Amino acid sequence: RQMCIRDRYQRRVRGNRSRRNGSTMSDKDDNPISKDEEEKDPLISGFLPRTNSKPGAERPHFTLDEAIEIAGHGRYQHQAFALLALVWALVLSLTESCIPFIVSGAKDEWNLSGVETGGIGFGLVLGGTIGSLLGGFLSDRFGRKKVILFGSCWAIFFHGLCAAMPTWEALAFCRCVFGLSISAISNCSKVVIAEVYTANLRGRWNACIHLFWQFGGILLITLTFAFNDAHWRVLVAVTALPGVSVAVLLYLYLRETSRFRLENQGVYKAMKELEFIAESNGNTIPVGNLTLTLTLTLTRTRTLTLTPARTLVTLSFYHTLSRPKL
């Protein structure tokens, strides 16, 4: 596919040359363009906006998806996926999956009724619902990296704060505030995968990210062997610690996507990111004009679609959890 795009690009450049020289291009003209020609020819001397082109010179146009296809799949995508996998395992799964142990320990400590026990779980559901609605808009406004980074710090802080709550009402409120970040992070991380991977790989890697939720759950179950219900506060504090190192790695190595840069920061910033992707993968971005296709933003669409289903399923789970034992 990359070869086809490259061939189409070369044919566009040859067509521009023939129009500029007043000649016609034959369909059998398949001679490739050398690197020396690319460096010397002012028509293809750089991947610049149309406003910087010489008068009468028409640069070939490329969409962002075509540029990502040429940049290829390699080190850049592996690094982004590894960071998101750590977020899913050590920030999302490890902290949110603590809720059954928190509810059980709080019920025994404060002698809670079924309604009060369910209120703790409902706080997390309410926060997750609001976070799903806000996460997509914040991601489109401030960027995917900022939502994931600050959402992870938010989740770590309020999850650890749950260990110091004196009453069940305060605990329910703290879990609600904690839940604001969980849905925003999970939705935004899927958008990052969709925007950095090539079209033929997005589906499989978006599915693979869910495997790391199970890894976080396995790690949590392993930790519970060292704590009983009376030590639920210690368990909460311990599960908040791994997320600190993940937040540092996100700050250092997670990069903003080229689509967000193109939509909000302009062609120059987007091209710098695409060139970095291609260099990381050992490829070279062809030259021409980068154009923005009119596509529906994935963040808001995915968020508004998943929020009602997530809310109904989670509410039914905590309703069952809050029923008194026979």
Side-chain angles (χ1 to χ4, degrees):
R1 186 169 184 174
Q2 294 179 8
M3 294 178 62
C4 292
I5 295 175
R6 178 68 180 181
D7 180 67
R8 185 165 65 250
Y9 150 72
Q10 292 178 349
R11 293 182 62 83
R12 286 179 183 175
V13 172
R14 287 195 297 270
N16 293 334
R17 286 180 180 174
S18 62
R19 285 192 296 270
R20 184 177 56 182
N21 298 329
S23 61
T24 59
M25 184 184 67
S26 174
D27 293 337
K28 298 181 180 180
D29 183 14
D30 293 329
N31 296 325
I33 300 174
S34 64
K35 293 183 178 180
D36 294 337
E37 290 178 316
E38 290 184 359
E39 294 176 356
K40 295 179 181 179
D41 196 326
L43 178 61
I44 53 175
S45 59
F47 213 134
L48 301 175
R50 176 185 288 266
T51 55
N52 294 339
S53 301
K54 287 191 174 183
E58 182 181 356
R59 293 177 178 273
H61 288 195
F62 294 92
T63 64
L64 183 61
D65 286 337
E66 289 177 334
I68 292 176
E69 291 281 353
I70 298 173
H73 175 266
R75 176 185 172 186
Y76 180 90
Q77 284 79 9
H78 297 328
Q79 176 177 305
F81 185 84
L83 292 171
L84 296 176
L86 289 175
V87 172
W88 273 66
L90 302 181
V91 177
L92 297 180
S93 178
L94 197 60
T95 56
E96 185 177 359
S97 299
C98 280
I99 187 64
F101 305 99
I102 294 176
V103 169
S104 179
K107 182 178 181 180
D108 295 338
E109 180 176 341
W110 293 317
N111 296 321
L112 302 180
S113 64
V115 176
E116 294 170 339
T117 304
I120 299 175
F122 177 74
L124 178 61
V125 177
L126 180 62
T129 303
I130 299 174
S132 292
L133 296 173
L134 293 178
F137 295 98
L138 293 176
S139 177
D140 291 337
R141 177 65 178 84
F142 298 104
R144 288 73 160 122
K145 177 181 178 178
K146 290 183 179 179
V147 171
I148 295 176
L149 176 59
F150 289 107
S152 298
C153 296
W154 182 285
I156 295 165
F157 176 78
F158 284 100
H159 177 69
L161 192 63
C162 291
M165 292 297 100
T167 62
W168 76 268
E169 293 91 347
L171 179 60
F173 175 78
C174 192
R175 294 306 288 180
C176 177
V177 178
F178 159 79
L180 292 173
S181 61
I182 296 299
S183 299
I185 296 172
S186 60
N187 291 335
C188 191
S189 61
K190 295 178 183 178
V191 174
V192 171
I193 293 176
E195 292 181 349
V196 302
Y197 277 88
T198 55
N200 61 326
L201 296 175
R202 292 168 186 167
R204 70 185 72 174
W205 288 104
N206 253 322
C208 288
I209 195 69
H210 289 268
L211 294 174
F212 292 89
W213 186 283
Q214 314 307 323
F215 292 157
I218 294 173
L219 178 59
L220 177 63
I221 293 173
T222 304
L223 291 174
T224 56
F225 285 105
F227 305 97
N228 53 32
D229 290 345
H231 297 155
W232 66 272
R233 297 179 185 272
V234 181
L235 178 64
V236 170
V238 169
T239 52
L241 295 178
V244 178
S245 59
V246 175
V248 175
L249 292 175
L250 290 174
Y251 176 78
L252 293 176
Y253 299 110
L254 185 63
R255 299 179 62 89
E256 190 55 77
T257 63
S258 55
R259 177 169 294 277
F260 175 80
R261 293 188 184 278
L262 181 60
E263 292 177 347
N264 297 272
Q265 299 175 359
V267 176
Y268 180 77
K269 291 287 187 179
M271 275 310 308
K272 285 294 183 182
E273 185 64 25
L274 288 170
E275 289 172 357
F276 180 83
I277 296 175
E279 183 180 357
S280 300
N281 296 339
N283 297 322
T284 303
I285 289 289
V287 292
N289 289 324
L290 183 62
T291 60
L292 176 62
T293 55
L294 298 177
T295 56
L296 185 61
T297 303
L298 291 176
T299 316
R300 300 179 184 178
T301 306
R302 188 189 307 277
T303 298
L304 296 176
T305 304
L306 294 181
T307 297
R310 177 185 175 86
T311 303
L312 292 176
V313 172
T314 315
L315 280 174
S316 62
F317 169 74
Y318 286 117
H319 174 72
T320 305
L321 185 65
S322 62
R323 294 176 60 184
K325 299 181 180 179
L326 298 178

